[in-house]
Amino acid sequence: MSRVAKISNGPNKVMVTVEDGTGFIADAAIITVPLGILKANLIHFEPKLPQWKVDAISDLGFGSENKIAMQFDRVFWPDVELLGVVAPTSYACGYFLNLHKATGHPVLVYMAAGRFACDLEKLSDESAANFVMLQLKKMFPNATEPVNFAWFLHCSYYLFHVSFLNSVLMSKVTN
């Protein structure tokens, strides 16, 4: 897999050029790119995108969401996709994504969003893991400690422009 560097649109053809200079020519192309890639201008368009599209890209926003994946020795939670607790304010809202349902591995991923996600990154690994376990134990007082965990940080990585991949997550947590 290669990163797209340039998209050239001619009268009857489209040429997509990747980082190593290799070009692919087609009659047409459907471009689906994460907003962060467009905002960072990581793809050169020829001709340039019309101003109304540049303005729309500039006006669109997206928030931060951090993930802390935890692998356990066994499943102690119900067979549902999402688990959550209601926080006293919207600041500390988060939820757990149950990857066991999809993968068979006893893995939960804590999802934290917004300003809280960025503040969570400022904690030490141990403090963040303790916070997440505190949230989990509010739902499951007998929850076991994780045997492994991994962070997927977005706030501190200003060049993080791509989507989260469950396969990457699973390889980091289960290995």
Side-chain angles (χ1 to χ4, degrees):
M1 179 163 39
S2 299
R3 292 182 186 185
V4 173
K6 181 178 175 183
I7 300 173
S8 304
N9 190 18
N12 297 322
K13 300 286 180 190
V14 174
M15 181 175 204
V16 176
T17 306
V18 295
E19 281 180 319
D20 70 2
T22 304
F24 301 91
I25 298 174
D27 294 333
I30 297 173
I31 310 301
T32 59
V33 179
L35 182 58
I37 298 285
L38 295 173
K39 283 184 167 292
N41 295 312
L42 295 177
I43 299 175
H44 178 72
F45 289 92
E46 280 187 11
K48 290 183 179 185
L49 293 175
Q51 192 59 45
W52 67 269
K53 285 186 182 180
V54 172
D55 291 344
I57 291 166
S58 177
D59 289 345
L60 285 172
F62 52 88
S64 297
E65 184 173 65
N66 280 326
K67 300 151 192 77
I68 300 175
M70 298 175 300
Q71 180 183 17
F72 296 90
D73 58 353
R74 64 180 175 78
V75 174
F76 53 82
W77 56 88
D79 188 28
V80 296
E81 285 83 12
L82 301 172
L83 302 159
V85 290
V86 177
T89 69
S90 61
Y91 169 73
C93 283
Y95 63 93
F96 291 88
L97 176 64
N98 177 11
L99 291 189
H100 179 261
K101 191 161 179 68
T103 67
H105 296 283
V107 175
L108 290 175
V109 181
Y110 182 73
M111 313 289 268
R115 197 179 74 220
F116 173 63
C118 294
D119 289 347
L120 193 59
E121 282 187 24
K122 296 172 187 170
L123 299 176
S124 68
D125 288 355
E126 182 180 341
S127 294
N130 288 340
F131 173 82
V132 172
M133 283 306 298
L134 179 67
Q135 303 311 304
L136 191 58
K137 287 185 178 197
K138 286 179 184 176
M139 292 183 287
F140 306 102
N142 296 323
T144 61
E145 293 298 316
V147 295
N148 198 2
F149 75 94
W151 280 85
F152 297 88
L153 309 174
H154 296 127
C155 298
S156 60
Y157 295 106
Y158 67 96
L159 292 177
F160 194 93
H161 302 293
V162 295
S163 300
F164 166 91
L165 299 173
N166 278 344
S167 60
V168 172
L169 170 73
M170 289 309 299
S171 69
K172 283 191 175 186
V173 174
T174 58
N175 290 332

